[in-house]
Amino acid sequence: MVPPGATPSAGGFLSRLRALTGMAGAGFATSGMHWIDMDGATPPTGIAAHLLAPTGRVSMNDDPIARFVLTVPVPGIDAARQQWLVLWDQAQRSHADAGFMLARVTELVGHAAMDRRRAAELHRQYLIERASATARIGIWSCSLPDEQLSWSDGVYDLFELPRGSAVSRAQTLKMYMPHSRRRMQALRARAIKTLGDFNFDAEIVTSTGKHRWMRITATVDGVDGQARRIFGMKQDVTEEKLLAERTRRMAETDALTGLANRSLFQTRLDDLRDDSHARPIGALILIDLDRFKSINDTLGHAQGDACLIEAGRRLTTCCTPEALVARIGGDEFAIILSQGAAPGPENLCASIVEAFREPFVLGGQSHQIGASIGMARNSGQDAEALYRDADSALYQAKSEGRGTWRYFTAA
């Protein structure tokens, strides 16, 4: 076992110390006089308890093995595992020489301990930096109220700024996307006011123009109720966000057409009365393809799939990006429009009918498919009733010759 004072090895340190002091032996021992390492002559079998003290001690006696004993406590972190450097010799020393030697050895041990602690701190910092780099984590702090920033390398890397360069809070705020900046400012202000903490995911644009997601954790430090510092960690969670977004899209997307699937459609429809939406649902449109079954029966499922893909493309082309276009069944589609959307639901239904009059080219031949459409406006009914109203209008359109659209009117 290598004792704390040894650099680079206990044996080498003890040997050099013996040569420097002219002592017969030197070693490291614990409180119970269990020797950890030693160099030189046979150590004394017993050492007076008063020598194992918080400060260095010297003993001169008639012991034939160790007439002169010097002990110096080795500075350490764990008081329960205290260790001592012990030097001994058969020849006694004068009181002046003993005092000088005690002072010199105590100084040497202190320097060795400081070197060890510096090395340990550098190693600890190295491990933190390596772990932070692996986890894409950086440590930051901001003094208050002057708002001076202090960043570890990980934060500089996250923002793609030169490590150690001067940064200001105003500069970094510009790198947040507007929605994230507003949210972060609100959370930060509340945490400073309450001496609390917060965490959230922010979207940023790095100095090279890359979009990244950053998870921020923050804690406010205060004195006498006044905020003095806010600090925490920033972690790059871009890959996590992208994976979550891909997973969400897969769960909400129709694999064939790329449109929203029935699950997403139903979720949006169920939010009919949710006031959190900036633009509530204004109308529901249901679409059935005419003569689709004959395509599957005569041309096969591959051409049937091609027909559905083209139908989805035409519906999307007719709609604005705000509209939710979904495939909710085999050849059944739906569109949810927000209130005040342009074009209005009547004009949109008419444009879809017109778009489906254009023949579909399937298997190298033109085929007339057509679309029957039912539309119902949101007039305060629940989701189930709105769907039932649109379906009733669709049934009417089919009954009146297909290739047309109807809107629901209460009897």
Side-chain angles (χ1 to χ4, degrees):
M1 177 177 177
V2 178
T7 54
S9 69
F13 175 79
L14 295 173
S15 178
R16 290 194 299 273
L17 187 59
R18 282 183 53 236
L20 177 67
T21 59
M23 302 293 282
F28 286 101
T30 63
S31 300
M33 290 313 299
H34 299 293
W35 293 98
I36 299 171
D37 198 2
M38 67 183 67
D39 184 81
T42 302
T45 56
I47 294 179
H50 78 277
L51 292 178
L52 302 182
T55 57
R57 291 287 190 273
V58 169
S59 173
M60 290 183 281
N61 52 60
D62 295 328
D63 188 323
I65 296 178
R67 297 188 179 192
F68 179 84
V69 177
L70 182 151
T71 61
V72 176
V74 178
I77 297 174
D78 188 355
R81 301 179 63 186
Q82 180 64 60
Q83 297 175 10
W84 278 265
L85 171 64
V86 183
L87 294 98
W88 62 92
D89 197 63
Q90 293 177 341
Q92 292 187 351
R93 304 294 196 274
S94 69
H95 287 288
D97 286 345
F100 176 79
M101 187 180 300
L102 176 61
R104 183 60 176 144
V105 171
T106 301
E107 181 184 12
L108 289 173
V109 171
H111 283 308
M114 290 176 60
D115 289 342
R116 185 184 72 248
R117 287 179 175 177
R118 278 194 293 266
E121 178 61 22
L122 289 173
H123 185 61
R124 187 182 71 85
Q125 291 291 343
Y126 169 77
L127 292 177
I128 290 174
E129 289 294 340
R130 287 294 302 271
S132 297
T134 301
R136 298 183 178 181
I137 291 175
I139 301 170
W140 63 275
S141 68
C142 179
S143 58
L144 300 171
D146 60 350
E147 297 193 334
Q148 294 297 309
L149 296 178
S150 176
W151 286 359
S152 70
D153 288 346
V155 181
Y156 282 103
D157 294 346
L158 202 158
F159 283 92
E160 293 192 305
L161 291 169
R163 292 181 176 182
S165 61
V167 289
S168 67
R169 188 161 180 271
Q171 172 192 359
T172 57
L173 279 176
K174 293 177 182 178
M175 304 174 79
Y176 286 73
M177 294 294 287
H179 62 282
S180 290
R181 182 167 59 246
R182 289 191 297 269
R183 177 65 174 157
M184 192 270 291
Q185 292 281 61
L187 290 172
R188 184 180 189 270
R190 184 163 60 228
I192 291 174
K193 183 177 180 180
T194 62
L195 297 184
D197 51 36
F198 68 89
N199 64 83
F200 88 113
D201 294 346
E203 187 178 7
I204 64 169
V205 179
T206 71
S207 63
T208 64
K210 296 176 184 174
H211 281 257
R212 282 182 176 168
W213 281 94
M214 174 177 66
R215 181 159 297 148
I216 302 174
T217 62
T219 299
V220 177
D221 222 357
V223 178
D224 297 329
Q226 295 296 315
R228 290 291 180 263
R229 184 173 67 122
I230 183 168
F231 63 96
M233 294 188 301
K234 299 180 189 287
Q235 180 180 16
D236 187 344
V237 292
T238 305
E239 291 183 5
E240 177 185 328
K241 285 287 187 178
L242 292 176
L243 177 60
E245 178 63 17
R246 285 195 296 269
T247 303
R248 183 191 66 80
R249 288 185 178 276
M250 289 175 63
E252 297 179 346
T253 302
D254 177 62
L256 178 64
T257 63
L259 303 176
N261 61 15
R262 175 132 202 158
S263 176
L264 179 57
F265 163 77
Q266 193 62 53
T267 298
R268 180 68 179 95
L269 190 63
D270 289 342
D271 288 342
L272 189 63
R273 302 268 67 82
D274 189 348
D275 294 334
S276 66
H277 290 285
R279 302 182 69 182
I281 293 175
L284 172 62
I285 299 172
L286 298 180
I287 306 105
D288 269 7
L289 302 187
D290 300 333
R291 295 175 289 277
F292 174 74
K293 186 175 183 302
S294 64
I295 297 295
N296 261 346
D297 292 344
T298 58
L299 301 181
H301 290 289
Q303 294 303 320
D305 287 350
C307 177
L308 293 172
I309 293 170
E310 174 61 15
R313 187 195 67 79
R314 294 190 188 191
L315 290 174
T316 303
T317 301
C318 292
C319 297
T320 61
E322 292 77 17
L324 178 71
V325 184
R327 181 187 174 206
I328 60 175
D331 63 337
E332 301 171 4
F333 298 83
I335 300 171
I336 295 178
L337 295 179
S338 300
Q339 286 184 5
E346 292 87 353
N347 290 337
L348 178 57
C349 289
S351 66
I352 292 173
V353 169
E354 190 63 30
F356 275 75
R357 288 198 174 113
E358 180 74 21
F360 283 57
V361 179
L362 303 168
Q365 297 180 348
S366 295
H367 298 268
Q368 290 297 142
I369 304 298
S372 297
I373 303 171
M375 183 270 287
R377 286 184 174 274
N378 175 15
S379 57
Q381 67 272 56
D382 60 23
E384 185 177 350
L386 180 61
Y387 187 91
R388 188 169 56 246
D389 293 346
D391 192 52
S392 176
L394 174 60
Y395 179 80
Q396 184 181 359
K398 288 182 177 180
S399 299
E400 296 181 8
R402 301 178 184 271
T404 186
W405 70 275
R406 293 291 183 267
Y407 64 88
F408 175 80
T409 55

